[in-house]
Amino acid sequence: MTRLLVFGFAPLPFENTLKNFGPGIRAWQFIKPLLSTGSADVTLIANRIPFIYPAETFPEVFSHEHGFSYYNMSDSEFANTHRIQEIHDQFKPDAILVATVFAGTPLSHIRTDSPIWFDLFGHVMAEAQAKAYRYQNDEFLDHFRRHALLALQSGDKFSTVSRAQASATVGELGLIGRLTAATTGYSFCDPIPCAMESTLYTHDKCVIRGREVPDNAFIVLWSGGFNTWTDTETLVDGLEQAMAQNSDIWFVSTGGQIDGHDEITYPAFVNRVKKSHFASRFVLKGWVPKEDVHNYYFEADIGINIDRYMYEGVFGSKNRVLDWLRAGLPSLIGELCELSLDLPERGLAYSYPLGNPEALASKILALTKDPEAVAETGKRARDYGLKHLSFDATTQPFQNWLSNPVTAPDHRQKRKTLAHKDPLQWSDQSYIRKLESELDGKNRHLQSLEHYIRHLESELRKRNPAENPYNQLPVNRPALNGRPLKLPEQALVSIVVVTWNGVKDIEACIRSAKDQDYPHVECVVVDNGSRDGTPEFIETNFSDIHLIRNKKNQGFTGGVNQGILATKGDVIFLLNQDAVMMPGLLKELIEVLEDDTIAIAGCKIYNIDGKTLQHAGGILHENGLTDHYGAGQIDTGQYDQDRDVDYVTGAVFAFKRSLIDEIGLFDRRFHPAYYEELDYCIRASRSGYRIRYCHRAEALHHESTSTGKFSPRFYRLYHRNRLKLILKHFTFRYFWGCFLRSELTWFRKYAPREQWLPLCIAYICVSHRIAWLSIKTLKGKLMG
């Protein structure tokens, strides 16, 4: 059985996500037939398309539920060369498939001798031209060119979606020097058209007809994204002319803007529709749940696809047309790509000349006169697609190659070129210089932030000399590159627990600490003036515990700093009073902290049921809101990978004592609780150290027993300290720009009503800080 490593994009069609995209469908077109025949052992490394998965999705999610190994990766993880190389070396592939050009980025960095089949899935530079036209900006061309060059230089065999694209690809191979004496007679490229799955759709519920659209309407359907090459002007003009003559014609759209790629075309289309005299007959549903989309196919009369004349269309194909075929929905296509010519020529679709709204209106009106004949055309097209345009039928050239994968005749020269001249560096040097300039700017910005943070800490020490524990520690050092933080072989761990009215939880907490099999441990409990008998319970039942009793509540940060100063450990381990450590936790975290570059480590945390995840690493958003990877999910191993994260929760928080010499103790400005651990992690990261999530270390946690999770007090403290964090760590420009944009978006779309009042109170509480930051910045500009 051939071991095939695939680089592609997610989501795949079977995933329960809101949208399907062509790159994911294309990867599945190649993979599914191999799984059906059992002819290959497949491992897929897929880069997530932006804005599809929830923000809290773990950077790498592994599964083996559909008969193949599937690594679903974020952008940052897909760019992690060491991780990609590790998967490659463990799998030892006999062949590599790259499904779409942009999925091939790792090939410029990893070492492999496996033959490579590169599926180009559309002409990249033609797509670049379409985007440059839509945005009226040719700077996009360099980005696309770099990836196209890498693909053309890397592949041993290529596939395209059309015969026209195959010819164009051979010309490009000649241009970069691959049509040589050695490759004479070698077939570089095979057309593999877009295809449809063999499993047909069924109409399982009514979604539009008889609800938002009359029962007798003639429905013209659009589905999917509005891309840079979509001719929305002809679409609206043609529909308006047809609607003016036939009141039964309705337009329904189940797609929309393609975030991160084209954010102009769809909004312009919506604005045009709003001004139409027939706006009431344009039903724009936006992106509907994927499981409902096919029902629109059954209730529509015709599916429409409309493009401008561009080379992207000449060389390309249309996945949406093939998806319509699964439901027997016939298509009305502009005369451009091979599919739009072949299907009408066979009497299996309808066409019209591009850029001609009058011809489009005439064709729609003609179709409304005989809807039965139109429906019959859809049935015949479906039967043709099942036979000739299935995944298995279209990928036969690839399956034949995979039975005996071989490299191209110029393999040695190709590898030599890749090793000595990275194709990603072949583009205009002006583009490279621009990227370097942007990077330098970001580094200078980071350095200014670091100096500003140091200034704030210095001012704090001056204003509160008696109370501030920073006085005892050398924290005022420049620290963009952290010195190695080494641990001794037998590191002493100091467990610090801060309690406040936690008598019902503290016994389980302390016993879990004492039951750890790590030999070198001391434990300190700092009680913040509990009135429920917590300190008395500890004195009675755990006499060997060092107990510090405060008359007043010093808050979490005050208690933690007090506990740290009373310990001697090489590793400080903070444990919430309502957390329970699982066996082996300390050993696992100490093993992680043995890395000199890792300063802070956290663990996998469950709700008290031991199944529902609460934390697998933390995420910091632009406006300071936070999420936990995996929160609320049942643990099925989806977060069983150690990785660097933005922060780890203070419920179980381990860090090296030597880090205190670099950044100081916890900031008491976050009194009484929330954001103190995130602040500490940001300071550590900006000092050059890593924050690590360890999946093998596990704990249970009752959330917020001291402040009441989701109570008004919780939200007030949470938002107040969130704003403090932003004002402390970010600039005036960031606050009034990126932060406020993100904050307003969150408030308008997502903020629950019960948070409005606590949020307002939080802003009032920090208003003087905002004013001070504004005045200080203005003063600096006037003096500078």
Side-chain angles (χ1 to χ4, degrees):
M1 182 182 293
T2 305
R3 293 188 300 277
L4 176 67
L5 179 61
V6 182
F7 293 100
F9 278 94
L12 298 181
F14 58 77
E15 294 186 68
N16 185 26
T17 53
L18 180 62
K19 307 172 187 177
N20 262 346
F21 287 98
I25 298 172
R26 188 65 168 182
W28 190 233
Q29 179 181 348
F30 281 84
I31 293 171
K32 188 176 181 180
L34 304 178
L35 303 180
S36 301
T37 61
S39 58
D41 179 9
V42 178
T43 290
L44 168 64
I45 303 175
N47 187 189
R48 293 177 199 143
I49 291 177
F51 311 110
I52 302 301
Y53 295 86
E56 65 272 14
T57 304
F58 205 60
E60 179 185 311
V61 178
F62 175 79
S63 67
H64 196 88
E65 300 175 9
H66 296 272
F68 66 102
S69 298
Y70 179 18
Y71 295 88
N72 183 305
M73 292 184 170
S74 65
D75 282 340
S76 60
E77 201 67 9
F78 195 71
N80 184 340
T81 303
H82 299 294
R83 180 58 180 148
I84 300 296
Q85 187 74 58
E86 180 183 38
I87 295 172
H88 172 280
D89 295 346
Q90 289 175 352
F91 185 55
K92 297 181 175 62
D94 300 311
I96 292 175
L97 163 67
V98 183
T100 75
V101 168
F102 291 98
T105 305
L107 292 180
S108 64
H109 305 293
I110 67 169
R111 300 177 305 277
T112 184
D113 289 318
S114 302
I116 298 171
W117 181 293
F118 222 118
D119 177 60
L120 301 178
F121 188 57
H123 195 279
V124 170
M125 294 313 300
E127 292 182 13
Q129 182 188 36
K131 184 160 186 173
Y133 166 78
R134 172 54 66 189
Y135 282 78
Q136 289 297 297
N137 186 348
D138 286 339
E139 289 187 2
F140 293 107
L141 299 178
D142 281 325
H143 171 70
F144 284 77
R145 185 185 298 120
R146 295 165 68 232
H147 287 274
L149 287 168
L150 172 63
L152 293 168
Q153 187 61 39
S154 302
D156 293 293
K157 283 280 289 186
F158 300 91
S159 53
T160 61
V161 298
S162 66
R163 295 182 295 274
Q165 190 196 348
S167 298
T169 298
V170 172
E172 291 169 331
L173 290 170
L175 187 62
I176 67 168
R178 294 197 64 185
L179 298 188
T180 63
T183 59
T184 302
Y186 178 72
S187 177
F188 268 113
C189 198
D190 286 300
I192 294 183
C194 293
M196 57 179 279
E197 293 210 48
S198 299
T199 305
L200 298 180
Y201 288 129
T202 58
H203 191 195
D204 44 47
K205 69 176 180 179
C206 182
V207 289
I208 189 77
R209 190 178 288 275
R211 296 188 174 190
E212 299 178 61
V213 173
D215 278 323
N216 64 338
F218 186 89
I219 298 177
V220 179
L221 178 73
W222 173 282
S223 62
F226 284 71
N227 218 319
T228 51
W229 47 81
T230 305
D231 186 358
T232 56
E233 294 86 355
T234 298
L235 175 61
V236 176
D237 288 346
L239 285 167
E240 284 182 327
Q241 293 180 33
M243 289 175 175
Q245 299 182 53
N246 188 333
S247 60
D248 291 335
I249 296 174
W250 286 67
F251 175 78
V252 176
S253 168
T254 63
Q257 176 174 299
I258 306 173
D259 294 331
H261 172 66
D262 182 355
E263 298 169 351
I264 292 179
T265 302
Y266 183 66
F269 169 71
V270 173
N271 289 333
R272 176 71 173 79
V273 167
K274 288 179 179 179
K275 299 175 183 177
S276 172
H277 294 299
F278 306 97
S280 61
R281 283 195 267 157
F282 284 82
V283 182
L284 308 185
K285 302 295 293 182
W287 291 102
V288 303
K290 191 178 71 174
E291 62 269 19
D292 290 340
V293 172
H294 69 276
N295 288 305
Y296 288 86
Y297 301 167
F298 285 99
E299 296 176 30
D301 293 282
I302 194 79
I304 190 169
N305 186 82
I306 183 164
D307 294 327
R308 305 179 187 280
Y309 180 84
M310 290 184 179
Y311 284 114
E312 184 283 330
V314 174
F315 295 143
S317 186
K318 296 300 166 188
N319 265 311
R320 72 190 72 196
V321 172
L322 293 157
D323 205 40
W324 295 337
L325 291 187
R326 292 177 64 189
L329 176 65
S331 52
L332 176 56
I333 327 173
E335 297 168 353
L336 186 60
C337 68
E338 282 183 1
L339 190 68
S340 69
L341 301 175
D342 288 349
L343 289 181
E345 186 177 322
R346 297 175 185 274
L348 303 175
Y350 305 95
S351 64
Y352 62 94
L354 296 181
N356 190 330
E358 293 78 15
L360 175 60
S362 177
K363 178 62 71 173
I364 294 173
L365 288 168
L367 294 176
T368 62
K369 296 176 181 178
D370 195 354
E372 290 79 12
V374 174
E376 183 61 31
T377 299
K379 293 177 183 177
R380 289 188 287 106
R382 177 195 61 200
D383 295 339
Y384 175 83
L386 286 172
K387 183 176 181 180
H388 299 286
L389 296 174
S390 67
F391 283 3
D392 184 63
T394 54
T395 57
Q396 281 300 313
F398 171 71
Q399 294 181 52
N400 294 337
W401 177 83
L402 193 60
S403 63
N404 182 31
V406 294
T407 56
D410 62 346
H411 172 74
R412 288 187 179 180
Q413 183 61 35
K414 176 169 68 76
R415 295 291 186 227
K416 182 179 179 181
T417 303
L418 281 175
H420 294 92
K421 190 174 184 181
D422 186 345
L424 289 183
Q425 299 175 359
W426 291 0
S427 61
D428 294 344
Q429 290 302 307
S430 60
Y431 181 74
I432 303 299
R433 288 193 295 271
K434 178 183 176 183
L435 292 179
E436 291 174 346
S437 175
E438 290 177 356
L439 182 61
D440 288 342
K442 289 179 180 178
N443 286 337
R444 287 193 299 271
H445 179 60
L446 179 61
Q447 189 169 13
S448 67
L449 288 176
E450 192 70 32
H451 290 316
Y452 180 56
I453 292 168
R454 297 305 183 205
H455 168 72
L456 286 178
E457 292 177 346
S458 176
E459 289 297 314
L460 183 64
R461 288 195 301 276
K462 292 176 183 177
R463 297 181 187 185
N464 301 288
E467 299 180 6
N468 202 310
Y470 292 130
N471 287 326
Q472 307 168 36
L473 300 162
V475 300
N476 194 24
R477 299 177 182 175
L480 289 176
N481 296 308
R483 64 179 180 83
L485 301 181
K486 297 184 180 297
L487 283 183
E489 288 187 9
Q490 301 294 328
L492 174 64
V493 177
S494 297
I495 299 175
V496 177
V497 182
V498 178
T499 60
W500 183 75
N501 292 340
V503 69
K504 66 181 183 354
D505 298 309
I506 194 62
E507 180 176 9
C509 174
I510 294 178
R511 290 203 184 280
S512 72
K514 294 175 71 67
D515 289 343
Q516 292 292 304
D517 55 0
Y518 189 79
H520 310 290
V521 178
E522 65 172 347
C523 187
V524 173
V525 175
V526 180
D527 184 76
N528 270 332
S530 296
R531 298 178 181 179
D532 66 345
T534 299
E536 291 79 12
F537 178 87
I538 295 172
E539 289 178 334
T540 302
N541 295 277
F542 300 102
S543 56
D544 56 334
I545 295 292
H546 181 189
L547 175 64
I548 300 173
R549 300 183 65 167
N550 293 325
K551 293 181 179 181
K552 295 182 179 180
N553 190 343
Q554 302 296 317
F556 181 78
T557 52
V560 163
N561 289 341
Q562 195 175 1
I564 291 172
L565 296 174
T567 63
K568 300 178 180 179
D570 304 295
V571 173
I572 309 299
F573 186 89
L574 307 183
L575 183 65
N576 271 19
Q577 66 180 14
D578 50 2
V580 176
M581 304 161 64
M582 303 299 283
L585 181 146
L586 279 184
K587 276 189 175 180
E588 296 292 350
L589 292 185
I590 294 301
E591 184 176 335
V592 168
L593 290 172
E594 287 175 354
D595 187 319
D596 294 350
T597 64
I598 296 174
I600 299 171
C603 69
K604 182 186 289 186
I605 301 178
Y606 298 94
N607 291 344
I608 201 63
D609 62 6
K611 298 178 181 179
T612 305
L613 287 168
Q614 188 181 111
H615 169 273
I619 309 166
L620 175 63
H621 298 294
E622 288 180 338
N623 64 341
L625 290 174
T626 57
D627 283 312
H628 290 171
Y629 289 115
Q633 301 176 21
I634 299 298
D635 184 19
T636 59
Q638 67 270 43
Y639 301 104
D640 283 356
Q641 304 94 27
D642 289 6
R643 66 163 287 102
D644 291 355
V645 291
D646 292 341
Y647 76 100
V648 292
T649 179
V652 180
F653 189 96
F655 66 97
K656 297 173 182 174
R657 178 178 287 275
S658 52
L659 178 64
I660 300 174
D661 292 336
E662 304 299 321
I663 67 173
L665 293 172
F666 283 76
D667 190 341
R668 296 189 67 175
R669 287 173 287 184
F670 293 95
H671 175 87
Y674 303 119
Y675 277 88
E676 58 283 298
E677 78 270 43
L678 178 51
D679 167 71
Y680 207 67
C681 288
I682 290 175
R683 288 157 58 194
S685 294
R686 288 179 172 172
S687 296
Y689 300 112
R690 297 161 58 198
I691 318 300
R692 193 73 170 170
Y693 156 73
C694 175
H695 80 276
R696 296 177 303 277
E698 299 177 343
L700 307 178
H701 183 218
H702 290 280
E703 277 199 294
S704 297
T705 58
S706 59
T707 58
K709 185 71 170 177
F710 306 134
S711 66
R713 181 170 185 260
F714 165 82
Y715 285 126
R716 187 170 66 254
L717 294 175
Y718 178 86
H719 288 302
R720 186 193 68 185
N721 284 355
R722 174 172 69 90
L723 296 173
K724 284 183 179 180
L725 181 94
I726 293 295
L727 294 171
K728 174 181 177 180
H729 286 290
F730 297 95
T731 61
F732 173 85
R733 177 178 293 179
Y734 182 92
F735 180 83
W736 290 108
C738 184
F739 168 81
L740 281 184
R741 284 195 303 271
S742 179
E743 182 82 340
L744 290 172
T745 299
W746 169 74
F747 186 80
R748 286 196 306 266
K749 294 184 177 181
Y750 307 111
R753 185 177 295 273
E754 61 269 19
Q755 294 193 37
W756 291 1
L757 180 58
L759 181 62
C760 290
I761 295 173
Y763 268 99
I764 292 171
C765 289
V766 300
S767 59
H768 65 288
R769 296 173 183 266
I770 298 173
W772 176 78
L773 178 62
S774 303
I775 293 170
K776 181 179 182 298
T777 304
L778 180 61
K779 180 180 177 182
K781 287 187 175 182
L782 292 174
M783 296 181 65

